[in-house]
């Protein structure tokens, strides 16, 4: 029996890490599966939606 099969040799457990290009590491465009938007665009969209909800909530509170 080899040493790698012992209790401490948990080779392959937990999957493999995705290979990330150097360009993606430096904040460039990353090839994301499914055509997902970049994080900055997602954050802008989220903030826009939150502001719209807050405005609707404020206008509803003013009417009451």
């Amino acid at each position: 029996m080899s040493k790698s099969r012992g209790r401490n040799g948990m080779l392959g457990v937990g999957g493999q890490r995705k290979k990330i290009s150097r360009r993606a590491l430096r904040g460039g465009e990353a090839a994301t599966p499914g055509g997902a938007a970049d994080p900055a665009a997602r954050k802008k969209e989220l903030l826009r939606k939150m502001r719209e909800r807050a405005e609707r909530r404020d206008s509803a509170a003013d009417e009451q």
Side-chain angles (χ1 to χ4, degrees):
M1 190 181 218
S2 66
K3 290 183 181 181
S4 65
R5 293 185 182 219
R7 189 182 78 205
N8 296 327
M10 301 202 39
L11 183 64
V13 174
Q16 295 180 351
R17 292 178 182 254
K18 182 181 177 215
K19 303 286 188 209
I20 301 173
S21 68
R22 289 180 186 222
R23 185 178 199 183
L25 286 171
R26 291 187 174 93
E29 292 183 19
T32 55
D38 63 309
R42 286 195 320 226
K43 185 175 180 179
K44 284 182 184 179
E45 182 66 19
L46 177 63
L47 288 172
R48 183 187 64 79
K49 287 179 183 179
M50 290 174 68
R51 286 185 187 116
E52 287 178 359
R53 288 183 193 140
E55 287 175 5
R56 277 189 258 136
R57 200 175 326 124
D58 290 343
S59 64
D62 290 342
E63 291 175 1
Q64 289 180 358

